[in-house]
């Protein structure tokens, strides 16, 4: 499933035009501790978090995440949005808590 398809099917709102909407999403990951996510978020994952900073964008890049899903209506910092757009990091927004967002992702991926 692509990032664009996942966002549409889960009612996630892209934070800005998705720079890589056709990127494949292969799994999900939940976590707000950046050092933990850096070593454990899988390549191609949809990462559910409340961290909307440039550091989260850097971690998503290092982990090769397909998508950051900012949960609980968490704020995306302006500098993080700019950096993500520059680096081709997809970011979507949702009011769902991380658990519910991850459950929606798992359902769509058939996990």
């Amino acid at each position: 499933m692509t990032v664009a398809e996942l966002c549409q099917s889960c009612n996630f709102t892209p934070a800005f035009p998705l720079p890589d909407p056709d990127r494949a999403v292969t799994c999900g990951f939940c976590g707000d501790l950046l050092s933990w996510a850096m070593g454990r978020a899988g390549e191609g994952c949809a990462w559910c978090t409340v961290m909307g900073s440039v550091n989260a964008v850097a971690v998503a890049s290092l982990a090769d995440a397909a998508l950051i899903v900012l949960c609980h209506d968490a704020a995306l910092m302006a500098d993080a949005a700019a950096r993500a757009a520059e680096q081709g990091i997809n970011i979507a927004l949702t009011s769902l808590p991380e658990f519910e967002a991850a459950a929606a992702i798992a359902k769509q991926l058939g996990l």
Side-chain angles (χ1 to χ4, degrees):
M1 172 169 280
T2 68
V3 167
E5 292 167 338
L6 183 70
C7 287
Q8 182 176 6
S9 64
C10 293
N11 293 316
F12 298 155
T13 304
F16 47 83
L18 296 169
D20 193 1
D22 296 325
R23 174 83 190 267
V25 178
T26 58
C27 60
F29 179 79
C30 293
D32 296 322
L33 185 59
L34 297 178
S35 60
W36 190 265
M38 190 170 11
R40 290 171 178 81
E43 177 184 340
C45 74
W47 175 23
C48 298
T49 186
V50 295
M51 303 302 291
S53 67
V54 292
N55 292 337
V57 172
V59 168
S61 179
L62 288 170
D64 199 18
L67 172 68
I68 297 173
V69 180
L70 280 180
C71 301
H72 287 285
D73 288 324
L76 176 62
M77 306 304 291
D79 56 345
R83 179 78 50 88
E86 275 176 19
Q87 294 184 353
I89 305 294
N90 297 303
I91 300 179
L93 311 171
T94 184
S95 61
L96 295 173
E98 292 96 334
F99 177 82
E100 292 177 28
I105 292 164
K107 181 178 178 181
Q108 293 304 313
L109 295 178
L111 301 175

